[in-house]
Amino acid sequence: MDNLKIAFIGGGNMGEAILASVLDRELSVPEAVFISDINEDRCQYLEQKYNVIALNNNQLAVQKGDVVVLAIKPQNLADVMVELRDKFNTEQLVLSIIAGANIDTIRNGFNHNAVVRAMPNTPAQIGEGIAVWLSTPEVNEQQKELAGAILGAMGKEIYVNDEKYIDMATAVSGSGPAYFFLFMESLAEAAVHIGLPENIAQELVFETMLGSSHFAQKSGKSLAELRRMVTSPGGTTAAALAKLEGGGFSELVGEAVNAAYNKAKELGS
């Protein structure tokens, strides 16, 4: 794939995550990667850091790519669709990671049929992400393999056959890191409150979250079973969980995910 040409329309954090992963996995080479971003300083930063080609011109960038990654902010989509409508050739694959923009919006707005819509998440920036994606029927098998390789370079990828799962994934894995960060922040603050030094509290929280996740993945047990394994009757964990359950913790999590899911559907409409 070293001759694969990839153009990026938008070079923000997630665009950079894809760019870095593609180069790291040797799916392409710097001289075959083209960047266009509304922020010229951002373009120059990416050019200098990765030795890719900054064009500062969306139409020119589109002409260069076998794959065109749309990594712009949702509020800029309407203007970019006007600018780039009918500018794609039939052989190009468009890969959109624009939050809330459904696949028909991309297809109709750019008048281009070979479209992949993906929902990656922020851990992709360190190669630990997960992306959920789907494609239009016009995306051929070779292009699907290519899209899977690009998204998988950032961690893991899951292909789905119904777009409703993208909105659901947005509420779980897309927004999910913030849920964990909030819990970690609260746990660290509670640790400091009972007397632990802040640096020790943070390290305990980071390693506990990381270790628990890896243990859950490798144990082969259900999450409920793992929770019961840690919880001795009348013990410290039972006392803590009683407080969380008494405060409606599970219900709040459910309400939070539903709120995110409904917002994702609203943005998509």
Side-chain angles (χ1 to χ4, degrees), residues 185-202 205:
E185 181 183 4
S186 299
L187 186 56
E189 288 176 354
V192 171
H193 183 73
I194 62 173
L196 278 170
E198 184 174 0
N199 62 323
I200 295 177
Q202 287 206 353
V205 170

Side-chain angles (χ1 to χ4, degrees), residues 113-171:
N113 289 325
V115 177
V116 164
R117 180 189 174 192
M119 171 48 62
N121 61 3
T122 52
Q125 295 180 44
I126 60 166
E128 295 287 347
I130 187 163
V132 178
W133 63 286
L134 82 162
S135 62
T136 55
E138 292 82 2
V139 175
N140 61 44
E141 285 303 314
Q142 183 178 3
Q143 289 173 323
K144 286 176 72 171
E145 288 181 12
L146 181 55
I150 292 171
L151 296 169
M154 297 184 291
K156 295 183 179 180
E157 48 84 18
I158 299 174
Y159 182 82
V160 295
N161 56 15
D162 193 318
E163 192 163 18
K164 69 182 181 182
Y165 296 126
I166 299 288
D167 289 334
M168 295 175 187
T170 299

